Amino acid sequence: MKSSRSLLMSAGLLAAVALGSTFVTLGQTTISRQRVTEAVDLDRLVTLRGNTHPLARPAFDRGPVEDSLPMRRMLMVLQRAPEQESELKQLLEEQQIKSSPNFHKWLTPEEFGKRFGPSDADIQATTDWLVSQGFQVNRVSAGKSVIEFSGTAGQVRQALHTEMHRYMVNGVERVANASDPQIPAAFSPVVRGIVSLNNIPRQALVRPLGTFSRSKETGEM
């Protein structure tokens, strides 16, 4: 199934955080505020909409897979806070303006993660929850945009509240989640979705509509 530099904070910076500042900026270093602040209530869930493959439909359904089926390299996609999105948009614009001090000043993945990713505390809380549900956390991307984890179909069913089913897609048996996954509401400020819960190739959505030929003399189709 397909499916990170130390931050030096002065007393002034700490005071700014205590005052509820969204970001603390020192040169190019930005510290993200913590967004996972609620206790994790396993009975209070949110649905991650749009995380079911369009071909995982009842007409193609061949039933649930066994709980022991390995689910490798699942990807939990993380999201930026609205203020981070605004700051990122501004930075991207300034990187293209020659008069800007940020012109062509590109960020490394690690710098990007520190500035625009979830806080370290949010990452820790999210990975701790995944581990508590029996999953293995393989890695967190340098840009802090994705958590890669692995487990089994049974763990997906129990922790993410969606069953893994077999589907017959274009004559080939595939595996996909039958419904949008759900996670504790405490993580909704930082989790956008969970992808790679299926092995349906992208080209399965492409259907040929015809052919064309090009004339060598005129270049006309």
Side-chain angles (χ1 to χ4, degrees):
M1 295 285 301
K2 58 170 189 172
S3 59
S4 21
R5 292 179 187 121
S6 298
L7 299 174
L8 301 178
M9 299 179 63
S10 66
L13 293 178
L14 288 170
V17 173
L19 289 171
S21 172
T22 299
F23 295 101
V24 179
T25 304
L26 180 60
Q28 292 299 313
T29 301
T30 305
I31 302 171
S32 303
R33 65 178 172 89
Q34 186 174 348
R35 285 179 280 150
V36 179
T37 58
E38 299 179 8
V40 178
D41 184 349
L42 299 181
D43 294 322
R44 183 167 171 263
L45 306 174
V46 295
T47 301
L48 301 175
R49 304 290 181 187
N51 286 262
T52 303
H53 197 283
L55 291 179
R57 58 183 71 163
F60 304 153
D61 197 340
R62 296 298 181 267
V65 305
E66 60 276 14
D67 278 355
S68 60
L69 183 74
M71 298 285 295
R72 301 185 179 93
R73 299 191 64 187
M74 291 176 282
L75 302 177
M76 176 176 281
V77 181
L78 308 178
Q79 62 184 344
R80 291 177 284 275
E83 58 270 16
Q84 288 176 306
E85 288 284 1
S86 297
E87 185 178 347
L88 177 57
K89 181 179 179 180
Q90 180 179 348
L91 175 62
L92 292 174
E93 292 175 351
E94 291 175 353
Q95 286 174 332
Q96 305 302 321
I97 300 173
K98 290 185 178 181
S99 60
S100 169
N102 286 319
F103 179 66
H104 282 191
K105 286 191 176 180
W106 316 120
L107 303 180
T108 67
E110 291 79 11
E111 289 170 337
F112 186 92
K114 286 182 179 180
R115 189 166 179 177
F116 299 111
S119 70
D120 289 342
D122 288 339
I123 295 288
Q124 190 65 57
T126 307
T127 55
D128 284 350
W129 175 74
L130 286 170
V131 171
S132 74
Q133 300 304 301
F135 295 113
Q136 175 183 340
V137 174
N138 303 327
R139 69 183 185 94
V140 178
S141 65
K144 298 171 72 173
S145 60
V146 171
I147 299 173
E148 180 188 303
F149 64 105
S150 300
T152 65
Q155 291 166 338
V156 168
R157 176 174 53 79
Q158 293 177 359
L160 303 179
H161 307 276
T162 180
E163 286 191 342
M164 302 301 301
H165 283 214
R166 290 186 170 86
Y167 295 89
M168 191 61 64
V169 179
N170 295 337
V172 179
E173 188 176 88
R174 303 292 185 181
V175 174
N177 52 307
S179 60
D180 285 336
Q182 296 179 314
I183 59 171
F187 299 113
S188 60
V190 298
V191 177
R192 182 184 300 275
I194 301 175
V195 299
S196 297
L197 284 177
N198 66 80
N199 64 352
I200 302 175
R202 292 183 180 182
Q203 57 266 34
L205 291 173
V206 178
R207 296 184 179 181
L209 298 178
T211 60
F212 72 92
S213 61
R214 183 182 298 273
S215 169
K216 292 184 178 179
E217 289 81 13
T218 66
E220 295 176 352
M221 292 190 209

